[in-house]
Amino acid sequence: MKIHLKTLGCRLNEAELETWAQAFQKSGHQITRQPESANLVVINSCAVTQDAARKSRNLIRRIHRDNPHAKLVVSGCYATLNQAETASLMGVDLIVGNQDKNRLVEKTLAELNMDSMPVMSTEPGEFSLFTRGRQRAFVKVQDGCRYRCTFCIVTIARGDEMSRPVQDVIDEINALHHQGINEVILTGVHLGGYGSDLGNNLSDLIKAILSKTDIPRLRLGSLEPWELSEDFFELFDNHRLMPHLHLPLQSGSDSVLRRMARRCKTKEFAAIVNRLREQNSCFNISTDVIAGFPGETDLEWQESFDFIKNTGFGHLHIFTYSRREGTKAASLPGQLDDEIKKRRSQQLHALANEMKQKFYEANVGNEFPVLWEGYRETLTKDTQRVYGYTPNYLRVGCVINNDESIENRTIGARITAVCEDYVVGELGDK
Ligand code: SF4
C-alpha cells in the first residue's frame, strides 16, 4: 500500500510524521511523496491559530478532492479539538486524537482493515507493539533467520543468522541506562535464534544482561515460540525481566501451521503458555495471526479461531494474508477471495477486543510498579492524566495535579477500573 503523510504546524508534528513513516514502512507499506497516487493519506493537523485551523480544513478538502479513492486519516490538534467538524468533512475515514497519536499506525491498520502481510515476519511488530519514548529503547541483538516459514520473505531478504556479541549488547544497554533509559526491549528478526552463530543462546544473553547491567526493566520483543531452552522460563523469576511475551502463533490450526512450515504446533504453544502462566498468573501473552492463509478451509478457520479464543491473549496483531512474490505461500493452491479474508480478519478484530478487555478486567485490584511516560492530557485547570506501563505491559492512566511530574519514574499503582484503551490506576506512595 502507498501512503502519503502530510503535516501542518509545529516541529513536534513533523517529528511524529517521521515516526509514523518508519512504522508504516516497517509494516510493509511504501511512503509516497505524491498524494494523488496514495491509497492512504495521513494528515497531522494544527489549530494553533484560526488560520492554522482553516488551513487544516482546506488541506483535508483538497486531498480528498484530488484523490477521492484514498482513505483519509486525520490526527493532530485541529482534529482533536474539532472532532465533530473533522468527521463531517468529506472523505475522512478515521480521526486519531492526540491522546492516541503514538498508536496511530496500529489503529489505522486495524480500523481501516489494512494490516497486510509484513515484509519480514516478526521484526515489524515491535513498532506497533511497543511505544518508543524517553524511558524505553530497542536494542537489536540479532539479524537473519535460518527457517523457511512459507509466508515469510525474511530468509531471502536478510540472509543468515548473525548475533551481536554479548559484551556489545551489555555496553549499549549500560550506555542507554546512563542516558536515563529505564527499559530496554531486545529485538531481532529471529530473536530465539540468538547465539546460533556464537555458541550461546538467548537465555545466556539475558542472564548476562541481568547480571552485568543495572537496567531496571528488560523486555523481549517478538519471539518465535521454539528453541526456548529449559532454563528460559525460570529467568522470569528475576523481576527485572518483564512478564510479557509476544509469541507469533500465525494460526491455531495444525494443518495450516504445517503448510506455513511453522516449527511450533498448537500443543507445544499451549504448553508454553501454560508454563508462563503457572509461573506468573498475570503474565501477558500477545501474538500475531494471519487471516486467510492459502487453502484455509472453514473448518481450519474455526479450529484456529477456537484455539485463539481458548488460549486468550492480551493483544492480537492481525494480518490479512496477501501474496508476496518470492515466498512459497504465493504459489500455494487455494488462494482465498478478499471477501473471505476480510470477514475472517474482522471476526478476529472483534475477538481481539473481547480478549483485551478480559485481560484488563482480570488485572483489576492488582498493584503494579508502573514506569510513567511523558505523554499527558490536561483534564481541568488543576489536573492532568498521565500514562505508564506495568511490567506485564498494561497501559495505565492516572490523574495527578497539573504541577506534578512523574515522567520516567517507577511508582506503584493499583488498578481500579477498565477503559477502552487503558486501565485506570490509583497512584501509590511517591
Ligand atoms: S521463523 Fe519463520 S516467520 Fe520467523 S523470521 Fe524465520 S522464516 Fe520468518
Side-chain angles (χ1 to χ4, degrees):
M1 187 169 51
K2 286 189 186 163
I3 301 168
H4 178 74
L5 300 149
K6 187 102 199 153
T7 191
L8 284 169
C10 60
R11 291 191 96 118
L12 192 65
N13 269 16
E14 276 172 33
E16 282 159 356
L17 218 65
E18 185 51 37
T19 311
W20 297 338
Q22 283 178 16
F24 276 123
Q25 281 171 323
K26 290 278 179 183
S27 300
H29 302 291
Q30 206 185 321
I31 304 297
T32 173
R33 284 177 181 278
Q34 274 95 37
E36 323 74 56
S37 65
N39 312 99
L40 168 73
V41 178
V42 180
I43 298 175
N44 208 1
S45 65
C46 174
V48 68
T49 59
Q50 284 294 340
D51 195 41
R54 187 181 50 78
K55 278 189 184 152
S56 295
R57 262 191 313 272
N58 287 346
L59 178 66
I60 296 168
R61 288 200 188 102
R62 195 174 65 238
I63 295 270
H64 179 61
R65 195 185 53 227
D66 293 347
N67 183 356
H69 301 297
K71 300 253 187 206
L72 194 50
V73 176
V74 188
S75 187
C77 297
Y78 167 73
T80 305
L81 297 171
N82 308 282
Q83 293 242 359
E85 188 180 290
T86 312
S88 70
L89 292 174
M90 284 282 286
V92 174
D93 292 285
L94 179 69
I95 297 171
V96 179
N98 281 349
Q99 71 281 7
D100 287 327
K101 269 185 159 180
N102 58 3
R103 282 172 299 142
L104 179 134
V105 174
E106 184 189 356
K107 269 184 165 293
T108 301
L109 297 177
E111 293 191 22
L112 300 184
N113 203 22
M114 288 172 146
D115 236 0
S116 62
M117 296 287 292
V119 178
M120 283 162 219
S121 175
T122 51
E123 200 188 19
E126 327 295 1
F127 280 84
S128 47
L129 208 56
F130 301 110
T131 56
R132 197 190 283 265
R134 278 178 49 196
Q135 57 295 314
R136 182 177 299 118
F138 295 100
V139 172
K140 186 163 177 176
V141 300
Q142 185 275 347
D143 206 338
C145 178
R146 65 184 179 284
Y147 293 100
R148 297 274 188 280
C149 300
T150 56
F151 56 81
C152 179
I153 196 133
V154 81
T155 33
I156 302 154
R158 286 294 174 101
D160 292 342
E161 289 183 9
M162 257 170 50
S163 312
R164 276 177 73 190
V166 176
Q167 193 55 47
D168 246 39
V169 177
I170 287 173
D171 291 346
E172 185 178 348
I173 294 178
N174 277 330
L176 287 166
H177 189 202
H178 194 69
Q179 291 159 23
I181 293 284
N182 280 318
E183 181 172 307
V184 155
I185 301 169
L186 301 185
T187 69
V189 168
H190 175 45
L191 184 59
Y194 178 86
S196 64
D197 53 328
L198 299 178
N200 55 4
N201 62 28
L202 183 63
S203 295
D204 297 330
L205 175 69
I206 296 170
K207 280 182 215 159
I209 295 171
L210 290 172
S211 75
K212 298 206 174 117
T213 77
D214 290 321
I215 193 82
R217 289 180 165 208
L218 181 64
R219 225 177 255 288
L220 301 183
S222 191
L223 179 66
E224 299 287 6
W226 60 86
E227 289 186 310
L228 304 174
S229 57
E230 242 333 278
D231 58 351
F232 174 77
F233 298 89
E234 64 208 37
L235 294 174
F236 290 92
D237 287 342
N238 185 322
H239 290 164
R240 286 165 59 212
L241 182 61
M242 300 293 103
H244 170 212
L245 282 180
H246 186 80
L247 304 169
L249 170 70
Q250 309 300 8
S251 169
S253 155
D254 282 337
S255 40
V256 174
L257 288 172
R258 207 166 305 121
R259 294 203 292 281
M260 290 177 169
R262 298 288 287 171
R263 299 291 163 131
C264 181
K265 300 292 184 293
T266 53
K267 200 168 152 210
E268 290 102 1
F269 193 95
I272 293 173
V273 169
N274 288 340
R275 205 155 159 193
L276 294 167
R277 287 184 177 148
E278 267 163 28
Q279 184 117 358
N280 179 340
S281 58
C282 298
F283 211 107
N284 184 0
I285 295 155
S286 51
T287 198
D288 292 337
V289 180
I290 296 172
F293 189 74
E296 186 181 65
T297 64
D298 286 347
L299 195 69
E300 287 172 332
W301 164 245
Q302 195 56 50
E303 253 173 32
S304 180
F305 188 88
D306 292 345
F307 181 79
I308 294 163
K309 189 172 178 175
N310 292 336
T311 307
F313 292 96
H315 172 79
L316 268 196
H317 200 112
I318 300 149
F319 297 103
T320 306
Y321 178 77
S322 66
R323 275 172 110 138
R324 171 153 292 118
E325 285 316 318
T327 61
K328 194 167 170 222
S331 57
L332 286 178
Q335 304 282 330
L336 299 183
D337 285 350
D338 285 351
E339 261 317 297
I340 299 178
K341 292 194 272 190
K342 195 169 155 194
R343 198 173 342 115
R344 291 180 182 174
S345 159
Q346 284 166 345
Q347 270 176 276
L348 275 183
H349 278 289
L351 176 63
N353 261 336
E354 230 174 78
M355 293 191 299
K356 183 177 79 179
Q357 290 299 316
K358 216 167 151 186
F359 184 63
Y360 279 180
E361 277 152 23
N363 279 283
V364 171
N366 290 340
E367 271 188 59
F368 295 108
V370 176
L371 177 55
W372 298 96
E373 308 208 325
Y375 180 74
R376 55 187 60 205
E377 274 163 34
T378 304
L379 298 176
T380 66
K381 78 179 194 347
D382 299 321
T383 59
Q384 58 178 337
R385 184 179 292 115
V386 290
Y387 295 92
Y389 284 89
T390 61
N392 62 350
Y393 212 63
L394 282 169
R395 188 172 185 237
V396 186
C398 108
V399 178
I400 59 171
N401 289 333
N402 262 338
D403 54 6
E404 282 180 282
S405 170
I406 54 173
E407 182 178 356
N408 209 13
R409 286 176 61 193
T410 301
I411 302 169
R414 200 169 66 84
I415 310 304
T416 55
V418 166
C419 290
E420 199 191 332
D421 273 327
Y422 67 93
V423 292
V424 180
E426 214 170 69
L427 211 59
D429 290 340
K430 285 176 219 158

